[in-house]
């Protein structure tokens, strides 16, 4: 669980979102972007979808496999469109 928590802490700081807030059902863009970026970083480690979902659940956030996939895809798309976002995630990795 060390890597997951490390990424969660880094994402929380980079997006200025309290870590606990990433594990809530809010759809506030800044929070959902942070959550999706967490999925992306974990998946690129590589962590399995099941592993990501288990850790999200351990933090109180139940998430569907398809939602994790969607979040990863959205993050990849944003990285293609926004060089500074891509640089930030590459730095956090």
């Amino acid at each position: 669980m060390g890597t997951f928590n490390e990424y969660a802490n880094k994402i929380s700081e980079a997006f200025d979102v309290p870590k606990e807030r990433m594990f809530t059902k809010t759809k506030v863009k800044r929070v959902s972007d942070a959550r999706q970026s967490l999925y992306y970083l974990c998946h690129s480690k590589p962590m399995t979808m099941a592993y990501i979902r288990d850790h999200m659940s351990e933090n109180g956030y139940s998430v569907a496999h398809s939602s994790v996939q969607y979040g990863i895809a959205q993050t990849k798309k944003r990285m293609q469109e926004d060089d500074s976002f891509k640089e930030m995630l590459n730095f956090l990795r």
Side-chain angles (χ1 to χ4, degrees):
M1 187 145 135
T3 302
F4 180 87
N5 281 332
E6 180 182 328
Y7 281 150
N9 289 333
K10 288 179 176 183
I11 291 287
S12 171
E13 187 175 321
F15 282 80
D16 194 28
V17 172
K19 184 177 167 183
E20 303 78 30
R21 185 101 162 110
M22 285 192 297
F23 305 109
T24 63
K25 291 282 185 188
T26 185
K27 292 190 181 203
V28 171
K29 181 147 178 55
R30 187 167 50 103
V31 178
S32 64
D33 285 350
R35 189 169 39 249
Q36 290 176 349
S37 295
L38 177 60
Y39 301 156
Y40 172 81
L41 287 181
C42 290
H43 185 66
S44 68
K45 184 61 183 168
M47 290 181 201
T48 65
M49 297 285 182
Y51 189 83
I52 296 167
R53 289 179 61 222
D54 287 347
H55 285 294
M56 293 299 290
S57 183
E58 288 172 9
N59 283 280
Y61 188 80
S62 179
V63 62
H65 180 91
S66 59
S67 295
V68 175
Q69 284 181 313
Y70 176 79
I72 292 167
Q74 288 299 108
T75 301
K76 286 179 180 179
K77 180 180 175 186
R78 184 169 175 197
M79 288 174 72
Q80 290 174 344
E81 298 169 351
D82 183 344
D83 287 337
S84 62
F85 181 75
K86 179 180 180 178
E87 287 175 24
M88 178 189 66
L89 286 184
N90 286 334
F91 176 77
L92 294 176
R93 192 180 327 177

Coordinates of all heavy atoms in Angstrom, one line a residue:
M1 N 0.8 -1.2 0.0 CA 0.0 0.0 0.0 C 0.9 1.3 0.0 O 0.4 2.3 -0.2 CB -1.0 0.0 1.2 CG -1.9 1.1 1.1 SD -3.5 0.7 1.8 CE -3.9 2.0 2.8
G2 N 2.2 1.1 0.2 CA 3.0 2.3 0.2 C 3.0 3.1 -1.0 O 2.9 4.4 -0.9
T3 N 3.1 2.5 -2.2 CA 3.1 3.3 -3.4 C 1.8 4.0 -3.6 O 1.8 5.2 -4.0 CB 3.4 2.4 -4.6 OG1 4.6 1.7 -4.4 CG2 3.4 3.2 -5.9
F4 N 0.7 3.4 -3.3 CA -0.6 4.0 -3.5 C -0.7 5.3 -2.6 O -1.1 6.3 -3.1 CB -1.8 3.1 -3.1 CG -3.1 3.7 -3.3 CD1 -3.8 3.6 -4.5 CD2 -3.7 4.3 -2.2 CE1 -5.0 4.2 -4.6 CE2 -5.0 4.9 -2.3 CZ -5.6 4.8 -3.5
N5 N -0.3 5.1 -1.3 CA -0.4 6.3 -0.4 C 0.6 7.4 -0.8 O 0.3 8.6 -0.7 CB -0.1 5.8 1.0 CG -1.3 5.2 1.7 OD1 -2.4 5.5 1.3 ND2 -1.1 4.2 2.5
E6 N 1.8 7.0 -1.3 CA 2.7 8.0 -1.8 C 2.2 8.8 -2.9 O 2.2 10.0 -2.9 CB 4.0 7.2 -2.2 CG 5.1 8.1 -2.7 CD 6.3 7.4 -3.2 OE1 6.6 6.3 -2.7 OE2 7.0 7.9 -4.1
Y7 N 1.5 8.1 -3.9 CA 0.9 8.8 -5.0 C -0.2 9.7 -4.5 O -0.4 10.8 -5.0 CB 0.4 7.9 -6.1 CG 1.5 7.4 -7.0 CD1 1.5 6.1 -7.6 CD2 2.6 8.1 -7.3 CE1 2.4 5.7 -8.4 CE2 3.6 7.7 -8.2 CZ 3.5 6.5 -8.7 OH 4.5 6.0 -9.6
A8 N -1.1 9.1 -3.6 CA -2.2 9.9 -3.1 C -1.7 11.2 -2.4 O -2.3 12.3 -2.6 CB -3.0 9.1 -2.1
N9 N -0.7 11.1 -1.6 CA -0.1 12.3 -1.0 C 0.4 13.3 -2.0 O 0.2 14.5 -1.8 CB 1.0 11.9 0.0 CG 0.4 11.2 1.2 OD1 -0.7 11.4 1.6 ND2 1.2 10.3 1.8
K10 N 1.2 12.8 -3.0 CA 1.7 13.7 -4.0 C 0.6 14.4 -4.8 O 0.7 15.6 -5.1 CB 2.6 12.9 -5.0 CG 3.9 12.5 -4.3 CD 4.8 11.7 -5.4 CE 6.1 11.4 -4.8 NZ 6.9 10.7 -5.8
I11 N -0.4 13.6 -5.2 CA -1.5 14.2 -6.0 C -2.3 15.2 -5.1 O -2.6 16.3 -5.6 CB -2.5 13.1 -6.4 CG1 -1.8 12.2 -7.5 CG2 -3.8 13.7 -6.9 CD1 -1.6 12.9 -8.8
S12 N -2.5 14.9 -3.8 CA -3.2 15.8 -2.9 C -2.5 17.2 -2.9 O -3.1 18.2 -3.0 CB -3.3 15.2 -1.5 OG -3.7 16.1 -0.6
E13 N -1.2 17.1 -2.7 CA -0.4 18.3 -2.6 C -0.4 19.1 -4.0 O -0.6 20.3 -4.0 CB 1.0 18.0 -2.2 CG 1.9 19.2 -1.9 CD 3.3 18.9 -1.4 OE1 3.4 17.9 -0.6 OE2 4.2 19.5 -1.8
A14 N -0.2 18.4 -5.1 CA -0.1 19.0 -6.4 C -1.4 19.7 -6.8 O -1.3 20.7 -7.4 CB 0.4 18.0 -7.4
F15 N -2.5 19.1 -6.5 CA -3.8 19.6 -6.9 C -4.4 20.5 -5.8 O -5.5 21.0 -5.9 CB -4.8 18.5 -7.2 CG -4.5 17.9 -8.5 CD1 -3.5 16.9 -8.7 CD2 -5.3 18.2 -9.6 CE1 -3.3 16.4 -10.0 CE2 -5.1 17.7 -10.9 CZ -4.1 16.7 -11.1
D16 N -3.7 20.6 -4.6 CA -4.2 21.3 -3.5 C -5.6 20.9 -3.1 O -6.6 21.6 -2.9 CB -4.2 22.8 -3.8 CG -4.4 23.7 -2.5 OD1 -4.0 23.2 -1.4 OD2 -5.0 24.8 -2.6
V17 N -5.7 19.5 -3.0 CA -7.0 18.9 -2.6 C -6.7 18.0 -1.4 O -5.7 17.2 -1.5 CB -7.5 18.0 -3.7 CG1 -8.7 17.2 -3.2 CG2 -7.9 18.8 -4.9
P18 N -7.3 18.2 -0.2 CA -7.1 17.3 0.9 C -7.2 15.9 0.5 O -8.2 15.5 -0.2 CB -8.1 17.7 1.9 CG -8.5 19.1 1.5 CD -8.4 19.2 0.0
K19 N -6.3 15.0 0.9 CA -6.3 13.6 0.6 C -7.7 13.0 0.8 O -8.2 12.2 0.0 CB -5.2 12.9 1.3 CG -5.0 11.4 1.0 CD -3.9 10.9 1.7 CE -3.8 9.4 1.6 NZ -2.8 8.8 2.4
E20 N -8.3 13.3 1.9 CA -9.6 12.7 2.3 C -10.6 13.0 1.3 O -11.6 12.3 1.0 CB -10.0 13.1 3.7 CG -9.0 12.8 4.8 CD -7.8 13.8 4.9 OE1 -8.0 14.9 4.5 OE2 -6.7 13.3 5.2
R21 N -10.5 14.2 0.7 CA -11.5 14.7 -0.3 C -11.5 13.9 -1.6 O -12.5 13.8 -2.2 CB -11.2 16.2 -0.5 CG -12.3 16.9 -1.4 CD -13.2 17.7 -0.6 NE -13.9 18.7 -1.4 CZ -15.2 18.6 -1.7 NH1 -15.9 17.6 -1.2 NH2 -15.7 19.5 -2.5
M22 N -10.3 13.4 -1.9 CA -10.3 12.6 -3.1 C -11.1 11.3 -3.0 O -11.4 10.7 -4.0 CB -8.8 12.2 -3.4 CG -8.0 13.3 -4.0 SD -6.4 12.7 -4.7 CE -5.6 12.1 -3.2
F23 N -11.4 10.9 -1.8 CA -12.1 9.7 -1.5 C -13.6 9.9 -1.2 O -14.2 9.2 -0.4 CB -11.4 8.8 -0.5 CG -10.0 8.6 -0.8 CD1 -9.0 9.2 -0.1 CD2 -9.6 7.7 -1.8 CE1 -7.6 8.9 -0.4 CE2 -8.3 7.5 -2.1 CZ -7.3 8.1 -1.4
T24 N -14.1 11.0 -1.8 CA -15.5 11.3 -1.6 C -16.2 11.3 -3.0 O -15.5 11.4 -4.0 CB -15.7 12.7 -0.9 OG1 -15.2 13.7 -1.8 CG2 -15.1 12.8 0.4
K25 N -17.5 11.2 -3.0 CA -18.3 11.1 -4.2 C -18.5 12.5 -5.0 O -19.2 12.5 -5.9 CB -19.6 10.5 -4.0 CG -19.5 9.0 -3.6 CD -19.3 8.2 -4.8 CE -19.3 6.7 -4.5 NZ -18.9 5.9 -5.6
T26 N -17.7 13.5 -4.6 CA -17.9 14.8 -5.2 C -17.5 14.8 -6.7 O -16.6 14.0 -7.1 CB -17.1 15.9 -4.5 OG1 -17.4 17.1 -5.1 CG2 -15.6 15.6 -4.5
K27 N -18.1 15.6 -7.5 CA -17.8 15.7 -8.9 C -17.1 17.1 -9.2 O -17.0 17.5 -10.3 CB -19.0 15.5 -9.8 CG -19.5 14.1 -9.7 CD -20.5 13.8 -10.7 CE -21.0 12.3 -10.6 NZ -21.5 11.8 -11.7
V28 N -16.7 17.8 -8.1 CA -16.0 19.0 -8.3 C -14.8 18.7 -9.2 O -14.0 17.8 -8.9 CB -15.6 19.6 -6.9 CG1 -14.6 20.8 -7.1 CG2 -16.8 19.9 -6.1
K29 N -14.6 19.5 -10.2 CA -13.6 19.2 -11.2 C -12.2 19.0 -10.7 O -11.5 18.1 -11.0 CB -13.6 20.3 -12.3 CG -12.5 20.0 -13.4 CD -13.0 20.5 -14.7 CE -11.9 20.3 -15.8 NZ -11.5 18.9 -16.0
R30 N -11.8 19.9 -9.8 CA -10.4 19.8 -9.2 C -10.2 18.5 -8.5 O -9.2 17.8 -8.6 CB -10.2 21.0 -8.3 CG -8.7 21.1 -7.8 CD -8.5 22.5 -7.2 NE -9.5 22.8 -6.2 CZ -9.3 22.8 -4.9 NH1 -8.2 22.4 -4.4 NH2 -10.3 23.2 -4.1
V31 N -11.3 18.0 -7.8 CA -11.2 16.8 -7.0 C -11.2 15.6 -8.0 O -10.4 14.7 -7.8 CB -12.3 16.7 -6.0 CG1 -12.3 15.4 -5.2 CG2 -12.3 17.9 -5.0
S32 N -12.1 15.6 -8.9 CA -12.2 14.5 -9.9 C -10.9 14.4 -10.7 O -10.5 13.3 -11.0 CB -13.5 14.5 -10.7 OG -13.5 15.7 -11.6
D33 N -10.4 15.5 -11.1 CA -9.1 15.5 -11.8 C -8.0 14.9 -11.0 O -7.2 14.1 -11.5 CB -8.7 16.9 -12.2 CG -9.4 17.5 -13.4 OD1 -10.2 16.7 -14.0 OD2 -9.3 18.7 -13.6
A34 N -8.0 15.2 -9.7 CA -7.0 14.6 -8.8 C -7.2 13.1 -8.7 O -6.2 12.4 -8.8 CB -7.1 15.3 -7.4
R35 N -8.4 12.7 -8.5 CA -8.7 11.3 -8.4 C -8.4 10.5 -9.6 O -7.7 9.5 -9.6 CB -10.2 11.1 -8.0 CG -10.6 9.7 -7.7 CD -12.0 9.6 -7.1 NE -13.0 10.5 -7.7 CZ -13.6 11.5 -7.1 NH1 -13.3 11.9 -5.9 NH2 -14.5 12.2 -7.7
Q36 N -8.7 11.1 -10.8 CA -8.4 10.4 -12.1 C -6.9 10.4 -12.3 O -6.3 9.4 -12.8 CB -9.0 11.2 -13.2 CG -10.5 11.0 -13.2 CD -11.2 11.8 -14.3 OE1 -10.7 12.6 -14.9 NE2 -12.5 11.5 -14.5
S37 N -6.2 11.4 -11.8 CA -4.7 11.4 -12.0 C -4.1 10.3 -11.0 O -3.1 9.7 -11.4 CB -4.1 12.8 -11.6 OG -4.6 13.7 -12.5
L38 N -4.7 10.1 -9.9 CA -4.3 9.1 -9.0 C -4.4 7.7 -9.7 O -3.5 6.9 -9.7 CB -5.0 9.1 -7.7 CG -4.7 8.0 -6.7 CD1 -3.3 8.0 -6.3 CD2 -5.6 8.1 -5.5
Y39 N -5.6 7.5 -10.3 CA -5.8 6.2 -11.1 C -4.7 6.1 -12.1 O -4.1 5.0 -12.3 CB -7.1 6.2 -11.8 CG -8.4 6.4 -11.0 CD1 -9.5 6.8 -11.6 CD2 -8.4 6.0 -9.7 CE1 -10.7 7.0 -10.9 CE2 -9.6 6.2 -8.9 CZ -10.7 6.6 -9.6 OH -11.9 6.8 -8.9
Y40 N -4.4 7.1 -12.9 CA -3.4 7.1 -13.9 C -2.0 6.7 -13.4 O -1.3 5.8 -13.9 CB -3.3 8.4 -14.7 CG -2.2 8.5 -15.7 CD1 -2.3 7.9 -16.9 CD2 -1.0 9.1 -15.3 CE1 -1.3 7.9 -17.8 CE2 0.0 9.1 -16.2 CZ -0.1 8.5 -17.5 OH 0.9 8.5 -18.4
L41 N -1.6 7.4 -12.4 CA -0.2 7.2 -11.8 C -0.1 5.8 -11.3 O 0.9 5.1 -11.5 CB 0.1 8.2 -10.7 CG 0.4 9.6 -11.1 CD1 0.7 10.5 -9.9 CD2 1.5 9.6 -12.1
C42 N -1.2 5.3 -10.6 CA -1.1 3.9 -10.0 C -1.1 2.9 -11.2 O -0.3 2.0 -11.1 CB -2.3 3.7 -9.1 SG -2.3 4.6 -7.6
H43 N -1.9 3.1 -12.2 CA -2.0 2.2 -13.3 C -0.6 2.2 -14.1 O -0.2 1.1 -14.6 CB -3.1 2.6 -14.2 CG -3.3 1.6 -15.4 ND1 -3.8 0.3 -15.1 CD2 -3.2 1.8 -16.7 CE1 -3.9 -0.3 -16.3 NE2 -3.5 0.6 -17.3
S44 N 0.0 3.3 -14.2 CA 1.3 3.4 -14.9 C 2.5 2.8 -14.1 O 3.5 2.6 -14.6 CB 1.6 4.8 -15.3 OG 1.9 5.6 -14.1
K45 N 2.2 2.4 -12.8 CA 3.3 1.9 -12.0 C 3.8 0.5 -12.4 O 5.0 0.4 -12.4 CB 2.7 1.8 -10.5 CG 3.8 1.3 -9.5 CD 4.9 2.3 -9.5 CE 6.0 1.7 -8.5 NZ 7.2 2.4 -8.6
P46 N 3.2 -0.5 -12.8 CA 1.8 -0.7 -13.0 C 1.1 -1.4 -11.9 O 1.6 -2.4 -11.3 CB 1.8 -1.6 -14.3 CG 3.0 -2.5 -14.1 CD 4.0 -1.6 -13.4
M47 N 0.0 -0.9 -11.5 CA -0.9 -1.6 -10.6 C -2.1 -2.0 -11.3 O -2.6 -1.4 -12.3 CB -1.4 -0.6 -9.5 CG -0.3 -0.1 -8.5 SD -1.0 1.0 -7.3 CE 0.5 1.8 -6.8
T48 N -2.7 -3.1 -10.9 CA -3.9 -3.6 -11.6 C -5.1 -2.8 -11.2 O -5.1 -2.1 -10.2 CB -4.2 -5.1 -11.2 OG1 -4.5 -5.2 -9.8 CG2 -3.0 -6.0 -11.6
M49 N -6.1 -2.9 -12.0 CA -7.4 -2.2 -11.7 C -7.9 -2.7 -10.4 O -8.4 -1.9 -9.6 CB -8.4 -2.4 -12.8 CG -8.1 -1.9 -14.1 SD -8.3 -0.1 -14.2 CE -7.8 0.1 -15.9
A50 N -7.9 -4.0 -10.1 CA -8.4 -4.5 -8.9 C -7.6 -4.0 -7.7 O -8.2 -3.6 -6.7 CB -8.3 -6.1 -8.9
Y51 N -6.3 -3.8 -7.8 CA -5.5 -3.2 -6.8 C -5.9 -1.8 -6.5 O -6.0 -1.4 -5.3 CB -4.0 -3.3 -7.2 CG -3.0 -3.0 -6.1 CD1 -2.6 -3.9 -5.2 CD2 -2.4 -1.7 -6.1 CE1 -1.7 -3.6 -4.2 CE2 -1.5 -1.4 -5.1 CZ -1.1 -2.4 -4.2 OH -0.2 -2.0 -3.2
I52 N -6.1 -1.0 -7.6 CA -6.5 0.4 -7.4 C -7.8 0.5 -6.7 O -8.0 1.2 -5.8 CB -6.5 1.1 -8.8 CG1 -5.1 1.2 -9.4 CG2 -7.1 2.5 -8.7 CD1 -5.0 1.6 -10.8
R53 N -8.8 -0.3 -7.2 CA -10.1 -0.3 -6.6 C -10.1 -0.7 -5.2 O -10.8 -0.2 -4.3 CB -11.0 -1.3 -7.4 CG -11.4 -0.8 -8.8 CD -12.2 -1.7 -9.6 NE -13.5 -1.9 -8.9 CZ -14.1 -3.0 -8.8 NH1 -13.6 -4.1 -9.3 NH2 -15.3 -3.1 -8.1
D54 N -9.3 -1.7 -4.8 CA -9.2 -2.2 -3.4 C -8.7 -1.1 -2.5 O -9.2 -0.8 -1.4 CB -8.2 -3.4 -3.3 CG -8.8 -4.7 -3.8 OD1 -10.1 -4.7 -4.1 OD2 -8.1 -5.6 -4.0
H55 N -7.7 -0.3 -3.0 CA -7.1 0.8 -2.2 C -8.1 1.9 -2.1 O -8.2 2.6 -1.0 CB -5.7 1.2 -2.7 CG -4.7 0.2 -2.3 ND1 -4.3 0.0 -1.0 CD2 -4.0 -0.7 -3.1 CE1 -3.4 -1.0 -1.0 NE2 -3.2 -1.4 -2.3
M56 N -8.8 2.2 -3.1 CA -9.8 3.2 -3.1 C -10.9 2.9 -2.1 O -11.3 3.7 -1.2 CB -10.4 3.5 -4.5 CG -9.5 4.0 -5.5 SD -8.8 5.7 -5.1 CE -10.3 6.7 -5.3
S57 N -11.3 1.6 -2.1 CA -12.3 1.1 -1.2 C -11.8 1.2 0.3 O -12.6 1.5 1.2 CB -12.7 -0.3 -1.6 OG -13.7 -0.8 -0.7
E58 N -10.6 0.8 0.5 CA -10.0 0.9 1.8 C -10.0 2.3 2.4 O -10.0 2.6 3.6 CB -8.6 0.4 1.8 CG -8.5 -1.1 1.7 CD -7.1 -1.6 1.5 OE1 -6.1 -0.8 1.7 OE2 -6.9 -2.8 1.2
N59 N -10.0 3.3 1.5 CA -10.1 4.7 1.9 C -11.5 5.2 1.8 O -11.8 6.5 1.9 CB -9.2 5.5 1.0 CG -7.7 5.4 1.3 OD1 -7.3 6.0 2.3 ND2 -7.0 4.5 0.6
G60 N -12.5 4.4 1.7 CA -13.9 4.8 1.8 C -14.6 5.1 0.5 O -15.7 5.7 0.5
Y61 N -13.9 4.9 -0.7 CA -14.5 5.3 -2.0 C -14.6 4.0 -2.8 O -13.6 3.5 -3.4 CB -13.5 6.3 -2.6 CG -14.1 6.9 -3.9 CD1 -15.0 7.9 -3.8 CD2 -13.7 6.4 -5.2 CE1 -15.6 8.5 -5.0 CE2 -14.3 7.0 -6.3 CZ -15.2 8.0 -6.2 OH -15.7 8.5 -7.3
S62 N -15.8 3.6 -3.0 CA -16.1 2.4 -3.8 C -16.2 2.9 -5.3 O -17.0 3.8 -5.6 CB -17.4 1.8 -3.4 OG -17.7 0.7 -4.2
V63 N -15.4 2.3 -6.2 CA -15.4 2.7 -7.5 C -15.5 1.5 -8.5 O -14.9 0.5 -8.2 CB -14.1 3.6 -7.8 CG1 -12.8 2.8 -7.6 CG2 -14.1 4.2 -9.2
A64 N -16.2 1.7 -9.5 CA -16.3 0.6 -10.5 C -15.1 0.6 -11.4 O -14.4 1.6 -11.6 CB -17.6 0.9 -11.4
H65 N -14.8 -0.6 -11.9 CA -13.7 -0.9 -12.9 C -13.8 0.1 -14.0 O -12.8 0.7 -14.4 CB -13.8 -2.3 -13.3 CG -12.7 -2.7 -14.3 ND1 -11.5 -3.3 -13.9 CD2 -12.7 -2.6 -15.7 CE1 -10.8 -3.5 -15.0 NE2 -11.4 -3.1 -16.0
S66 N -15.0 0.3 -14.6 CA -15.2 1.2 -15.7 C -14.9 2.6 -15.4 O -14.4 3.4 -16.2 CB -16.6 1.1 -16.3 OG -17.5 1.4 -15.3
S67 N -15.1 3.0 -14.2 CA -14.8 4.4 -13.7 C -13.3 4.6 -13.7 O -12.8 5.7 -14.0 CB -15.5 4.7 -12.4 OG -16.9 4.7 -12.5
V68 N -12.6 3.6 -13.2 CA -11.1 3.7 -13.2 C -10.6 3.8 -14.6 O -9.7 4.7 -14.9 CB -10.5 2.6 -12.4 CG1 -9.0 2.6 -12.4 CG2 -11.0 2.5 -10.9
Q69 N -11.1 3.0 -15.5 CA -10.7 3.0 -16.9 C -10.9 4.4 -17.5 O -10.1 4.9 -18.2 CB -11.4 1.9 -17.7 CG -10.9 0.5 -17.5 CD -11.6 -0.5 -18.3 OE1 -12.8 -0.5 -18.4 NE2 -10.9 -1.3 -19.0
Y70 N -12.1 4.9 -17.2 CA -12.5 6.2 -17.8 C -11.6 7.3 -17.3 O -11.1 8.1 -18.0 CB -14.0 6.5 -17.4 CG -14.4 7.9 -17.9 CD1 -14.8 8.1 -19.2 CD2 -14.5 8.9 -17.0 CE1 -15.2 9.4 -19.6 CE2 -14.9 10.2 -17.4 CZ -15.2 10.4 -18.7 OH -15.6 11.7 -19.1
G71 N -11.3 7.3 -16.0 CA -10.4 8.2 -15.4 C -9.0 8.2 -16.0 O -8.4 9.2 -16.2
I72 N -8.5 7.0 -16.2 CA -7.2 6.9 -16.9 C -7.2 7.4 -18.3 O -6.3 8.2 -18.7 CB -6.7 5.4 -16.8 CG1 -6.5 4.9 -15.4 CG2 -5.5 5.2 -17.7 CD1 -6.3 3.4 -15.2
A73 N -8.2 7.1 -19.0 CA -8.4 7.6 -20.4 C -8.5 9.1 -20.4 O -7.9 9.8 -21.3 CB -9.6 7.0 -21.1
Q74 N -9.2 9.7 -19.5 CA -9.4 11.2 -19.4 C -8.1 11.8 -19.1 O -7.7 12.9 -19.7 CB -10.4 11.6 -18.4 CG -11.9 11.2 -18.8 CD -12.2 12.0 -20.1 OE1 -12.4 11.4 -21.1 NE2 -12.4 13.3 -19.9
T75 N -7.3 11.2 -18.2 CA -6.0 11.8 -17.8 C -5.0 11.7 -19.0 O -4.3 12.7 -19.3 CB -5.4 11.0 -16.6 OG1 -6.4 11.2 -15.5 CG2 -4.1 11.6 -16.2
K76 N -5.0 10.6 -19.7 CA -4.2 10.5 -20.9 C -4.5 11.5 -22.0 O -3.7 12.2 -22.6 CB -4.3 9.1 -21.5 CG -3.6 8.0 -20.8 CD -3.8 6.6 -21.4 CE -3.1 5.5 -20.7 NZ -3.3 4.2 -21.3
K77 N -5.8 11.7 -22.2 CA -6.3 12.7 -23.1 C -5.9 14.1 -22.7 O -5.4 14.9 -23.5 CB -7.8 12.7 -23.2 CG -8.5 13.7 -24.2 CD -10.0 13.5 -24.2 CE -10.6 14.6 -25.1 NZ -12.0 14.6 -25.0
R78 N -6.0 14.5 -21.4 CA -5.6 15.8 -21.0 C -4.1 16.0 -21.1 O -3.6 17.1 -21.4 CB -6.0 16.0 -19.5 CG -5.7 17.4 -19.0 CD -6.4 17.7 -17.7 NE -5.9 19.0 -17.2 CZ -6.0 19.4 -16.0 NH1 -6.7 18.6 -15.1 NH2 -5.6 20.6 -15.6
M79 N -3.3 14.9 -20.9 CA -1.9 15.0 -21.0 C -1.5 15.3 -22.5 O -0.5 16.0 -22.7 CB -1.2 13.7 -20.6 CG -1.3 13.5 -19.1 SD -0.6 11.9 -18.6 CE 1.1 12.1 -18.9
Q80 N -2.2 14.8 -23.4 CA -2.0 15.0 -24.8 C -2.3 16.5 -25.2 O -1.6 17.1 -26.1 CB -2.8 14.1 -25.7 CG -2.3 12.7 -25.7 CD -3.2 11.7 -26.4 OE1 -4.4 12.1 -26.8 NE2 -2.8 10.5 -26.7
E81 N -3.2 17.1 -24.5 CA -3.7 18.4 -24.8 C -3.0 19.5 -24.0 O -3.0 20.7 -24.4 CB -5.2 18.5 -24.6 CG -6.0 17.6 -25.5 CD -7.5 17.5 -25.1 OE1 -7.8 18.0 -24.0 OE2 -8.2 16.9 -25.8
D82 N -2.4 19.1 -22.9 CA -1.9 20.1 -22.0 C -0.5 19.7 -21.5 O -0.3 18.8 -20.6 CB -2.8 20.2 -20.7 CG -2.4 21.3 -19.7 OD1 -1.3 21.8 -19.8 OD2 -3.3 21.6 -18.9
D83 N 0.5 20.4 -22.1 CA 1.9 20.0 -21.8 C 2.3 20.2 -20.3 O 3.1 19.4 -19.8 CB 2.9 20.7 -22.7 CG 2.9 20.2 -24.1 OD1 2.5 19.1 -24.3 OD2 3.2 21.0 -25.0
S84 N 1.8 21.3 -19.7 CA 2.1 21.5 -18.3 C 1.5 20.5 -17.4 O 2.2 20.1 -16.4 CB 1.7 22.9 -17.9 OG 0.3 23.1 -18.0
F85 N 0.3 20.0 -17.7 CA -0.3 18.9 -16.9 C 0.5 17.6 -17.1 O 0.8 17.0 -16.1 CB -1.7 18.7 -17.4 CG -2.5 17.7 -16.7 CD1 -3.0 17.9 -15.4 CD2 -2.7 16.4 -17.3 CE1 -3.7 16.9 -14.7 CE2 -3.4 15.4 -16.6 CZ -3.9 15.7 -15.3
K86 N 1.0 17.4 -18.3 CA 1.8 16.2 -18.6 C 3.1 16.3 -17.8 O 3.5 15.3 -17.2 CB 2.1 16.1 -20.1 CG 2.9 14.9 -20.5 CD 3.1 14.9 -22.0 CE 4.0 13.7 -22.4 NZ 4.1 13.7 -23.9
E87 N 3.7 17.4 -17.8 CA 5.0 17.6 -17.1 C 4.8 17.4 -15.6 O 5.6 16.8 -14.9 CB 5.6 19.0 -17.4 CG 6.1 19.2 -18.7 CD 6.6 20.6 -19.0 OE1 6.9 21.3 -18.0 OE2 6.7 21.0 -20.2
M88 N 3.7 17.9 -15.1 CA 3.4 17.7 -13.6 C 3.3 16.3 -13.3 O 3.9 15.8 -12.3 CB 2.2 18.5 -13.2 CG 1.8 18.3 -11.7 SD 0.2 18.9 -11.3 CE -0.9 17.9 -12.2
L89 N 2.5 15.5 -14.1 CA 2.3 14.1 -13.8 C 3.6 13.3 -13.9 O 3.9 12.4 -13.1 CB 1.2 13.5 -14.6 CG -0.2 13.9 -14.2 CD1 -1.3 13.2 -15.0 CD2 -0.5 13.6 -12.7
N90 N 4.3 13.6 -15.0 CA 5.6 12.9 -15.1 C 6.6 13.2 -14.0 O 7.3 12.4 -13.5 CB 6.3 13.3 -16.5 CG 5.6 12.7 -17.6 OD1 5.0 11.6 -17.5 ND2 5.7 13.3 -18.8
F91 N 6.5 14.4 -13.5 CA 7.3 14.8 -12.3 C 6.9 14.0 -11.1 O 7.7 13.5 -10.3 CB 7.3 16.3 -12.0 CG 8.0 16.7 -10.8 CD1 9.3 16.8 -10.8 CD2 7.3 17.0 -9.6 CE1 10.0 17.2 -9.6 CE2 8.0 17.4 -8.5 CZ 9.3 17.5 -8.5
L92 N 5.6 13.9 -10.9 CA 5.0 13.2 -9.7 C 5.4 11.7 -9.8 O 5.5 11.0 -8.8 CB 3.5 13.4 -9.6 CG 3.1 14.8 -9.3 CD1 1.6 14.9 -9.3 CD2 3.6 15.3 -7.9
R93 N 5.5 11.2 -11.0 CA 5.7 9.7 -11.2 C 7.1 9.5 -10.7 O 7.5 8.5 -10.2 CB 5.5 9.4 -12.6 CG 5.5 7.9 -12.8 CD 5.3 7.5 -14.2 NE 4.5 8.4 -15.0 CZ 4.2 8.2 -16.3 NH1 4.8 7.2 -16.9 NH2 3.5 9.0 -16.9

